[in-house]
Amino acid sequence: MLRLAGVSYRYPGASVDTLHAVELELRPGTVTGLVGPAEAGKSTLCLVAGGLAPRVVGGRLVGELAIDGANTRGWPMHALAEHVVTGLQDPAGQLSLIAETVLGEVAFGPANLGLPRDEVEARSRSALRQVGIEDLAQRDPARLSGGQQQLVTLACLLAMRPRYLVLDEPVAHLDARSARLVLEAVRAAADDGAGVLLAEQRTLALAEACDSVAVIAAGNVVTQGEPRAVLSDPTVAAFGIEELPEARLRRLLGEAGLDPA
């Protein structure tokens, strides 16, 4: 289990914390959704859960990031990366752009794990297939659209086969078909045993892909539970979070004086 225990975080040069005493758990084999209004702290929480803050970003962290019962405070980044990988909102910034092909880019991570060549290729081709971009295998990674780069970045992460996977809005720039493939790949990774944190604004996607959803507002995790129950709660909508279609329909029927049952 990956656990944030009493985690508060402050960016370098900031006068106040962005996260406040956050408690959150990622269990292997499950997808935990994360939703909240703009500037609520979703991306910051992803950076902390992935170990990038404060190791890479800097700043001050109070509390504990634990993986499988071990406090990771003294772990170097390369040791942490063997357990948890993170997909950020800017896909281009996560590509090495060293490889001449997409297949080579996806193979970069598992190759650095020292895996046999056949295993590296098998993982890489499987990851490309999972996100529906086998046809891009021989393309130059530097000559892809933003949406294609996002899919390649996710394939890179999946090829690592991490125990924990942190994704910050991985379908933000994708069309409906590609978004569906990504969510199916995320679900498949969890079904294979990974613990996934999925930050996303589309509540319907969260309801369909996640086992639980946590709501963050002003740096505080304010509630967590079964996705449709949480996302249908009127107090959650009050934070400016998109209503589920069925919750919106029930509300509108009630406002019109009709029985929403």
Side-chain angles (χ1 to χ4, degrees):
M1 179 174 65
L2 184 153
R3 183 179 180 225
L4 300 179
V7 165
S8 297
Y9 174 73
R10 182 177 300 187
Y11 282 101
S15 58
V16 296
D17 291 346
T18 300
L19 299 179
H20 308 282
V22 168
E23 300 280 342
L24 190 68
E25 295 179 352
L26 299 186
R27 295 184 178 276
T30 65
V31 181
T32 298
L34 180 67
V35 67
E39 307 300 322
K42 296 185 300 297
S43 293
T44 303
L45 195 153
C46 287
L47 290 172
V48 171
L52 298 176
R55 287 172 179 79
V56 176
V57 179
R60 181 175 69 93
L61 179 72
V62 175
E64 179 180 286
L65 168 63
I67 292 182
D68 299 332
N71 189 333
T72 65
R73 184 173 294 277
W75 292 15
M77 194 66 230
H78 68 85
L80 192 63
E82 294 178 4
H83 300 268
V84 55
V85 297
T86 306
L88 303 177
Q89 288 188 26
D90 176 19
Q94 289 198 263
L95 297 177
S96 73
L97 299 182
I98 295 173
E100 296 180 354
T101 66
V102 166
L103 180 61
E105 183 73 44
V106 176
F108 186 80
N112 277 290
L113 295 177
L115 299 172
R117 185 186 185 94
D118 289 349
E119 174 71 7
V120 169
E121 182 167 0
R123 284 192 183 198
S124 301
R125 292 194 180 277
S126 174
L128 291 175
R129 186 166 56 253
Q130 281 181 281
V131 296
I133 54 172
E134 304 101 310
D135 59 321
L136 298 182
Q138 299 306 315
R139 289 275 297 275
D140 182 347
R143 297 182 178 275
L144 300 175
S145 70
Q148 288 172 329
Q149 287 183 332
Q150 195 161 21
L151 292 170
V152 171
T153 297
L154 180 58
C156 291
L157 300 176
L158 292 173
M160 297 284 285
R161 298 191 180 171
R163 183 162 176 80
Y164 301 100
L165 178 61
V166 177
L167 299 173
D168 189 4
E169 299 199 29
V171 301
H173 305 294
L174 302 180
D175 59 30
R177 175 185 175 276
S178 296
R180 171 60 59 183
L181 287 171
V182 166
L183 293 174
E184 289 175 353
V186 168
R187 187 66 254 175
D191 291 342
D192 285 340
V196 183
L197 179 63
L198 175 65
E200 176 54 50
Q201 291 293 82
R202 306 181 201 183
T203 53
L204 185 57
L206 291 172
E208 293 176 347
C210 298
D211 299 287
S212 68
V213 167
V215 177
I216 186 170
N220 297 280
V221 173
V222 294
T223 189
Q224 183 175 359
E226 192 278 325
R228 290 189 182 275
V230 168
L231 297 172
S232 297
D233 187 335
T235 61
V236 169
F239 289 113
I241 295 167
E242 178 187 38
E243 290 179 287
L244 286 174
E246 59 263 37
R248 182 173 184 271
L249 179 59
R250 285 196 300 270
R251 178 177 60 78
L252 292 174
L253 287 172
E255 290 174 357
L258 300 173
D259 185 1

